[in-house]
Amino acid sequence: MLTTRKSKERGHADHGWLNSYHTFSFANYHDSAHMGYRSLRVINEDRVAEGRGFGAHAHRDMEILSYVLKGKLAHKDSMGHVEVLGPNEIQKMSAGSGVVHSEFNGSETEPVHFLQIWIEPKSRGTAPSYEQLKFEAEEKLNRFKLLASPKPVEGAATINQDTSVSVAELTPGSRLTYPLESKRHAWLHVIHGEVTVNGKTLQSGDAVAADEEEALEVVGQGAENSEVLLFDLA
């Protein structure tokens, strides 16, 4: 069974310096029908103006992933990490027992466009941790590139949950099949472009939940490349 979540149905907040779309309930946007999906709690599509950002604030017991689409994201945290994240990188922060961090646009002249993802952990109170991994654009071209995994995998971040996260960029007409094991679920988010998923047409910002499906067949549509983010969930 496939359940579609259309981009236009997402929550939206425009603060001037921050333009944000919320797939699930977040901050002042509340929709009891969209509180998350399985362990996936947040997908925020954020555009932050040059020189602006989120000041130091605390998190605990959450797996937080950031994926930059355009621009630079500057990160600083209480574990001592001071980093800049760009496209084709994955950043993971396991908040665990508690961490304080800030996220700012790393440029004074250009906005930054990124996805922030929260995944509920399988265990609480663990030691906080941080990973940032870069990959080549070719690694996601017409194939699924693993970004995060519950088990250590070279080139992917390790998260404290039975969830894996993959990204793929599809050229027009290309076809990818992602098999789902028994009793697994999937959430596919279209970062940009147009695809069909098991025959359903999705466009930028749209998403689909897959329950009791044996596989997802993703086909690139339109005249330009498309990019999708796939969550494989217990």
Side-chain angles (χ1 to χ4, degrees), residues 1 6 9 41 56 58 62 86 113 139 148 162 169 198 206:
M1 180 178 70
K6 301 299 287 185
E9 298 170 350
R41 178 62 188 84
M62 195 66 70
H113 182 196
E139 294 182 56
D162 185 9
E169 182 178 353
N198 292 8
D206 292 348

Side-chain angles (χ1 to χ4, degrees), residues 116-132:
Q116 184 166 107
I117 296 144
W118 293 7
I119 298 171
E120 296 177 355
K122 67 178 179 181
S123 56
R124 297 178 177 271
T126 59
S129 65
Y130 179 91
E131 289 181 89
Q132 183 172 327

Side-chain angles (χ1 to χ4, degrees), residues 10 17-21 44-50 54 66-73 85-89 104-107 110-116 189-193 204-205 227:
R10 295 182 295 175
W17 65 272
L18 169 66
N19 188 13
S20 185
Y21 287 87
N44 287 347
E45 181 181 358
D46 291 341
R47 290 175 173 85
V48 177
E50 48 273 24
F54 306 91
S66 295
Y67 185 69
V68 172
L69 308 179
K70 187 176 182 179
K72 299 177 180 179
L73 184 67
L85 182 73
N88 300 317
E89 291 185 78
F104 275 82
N105 188 335
S107 170
E110 297 179 344
V112 61
H113 182 196
F114 69 102
L115 297 177
Q116 184 166 107
H189 176 90
V190 181
I191 296 173
H192 64 80
S204 298
E227 190 169 6

Side-chain angles (χ1 to χ4, degrees), residues 14-69:
D14 189 346
H15 301 286
W17 65 272
L18 169 66
N19 188 13
S20 185
Y21 287 87
H22 311 312
T23 296
F24 305 114
S25 295
F26 186 85
N28 292 329
Y29 167 62
H30 179 82
D31 182 345
S32 59
H34 296 96
M35 297 299 296
Y37 176 73
R38 315 296 294 181
S39 60
L40 178 58
R41 178 62 188 84
V42 166
I43 302 178
N44 287 347
E45 181 181 358
D46 291 341
R47 290 175 173 85
V48 177
E50 48 273 24
R52 301 297 298 273
F54 306 91
H57 58 284
H59 290 286
R60 63 176 297 128
D61 294 322
M62 195 66 70
E63 303 295 293
I64 301 173
L65 301 174
S66 295
Y67 185 69
V68 172
L69 308 179

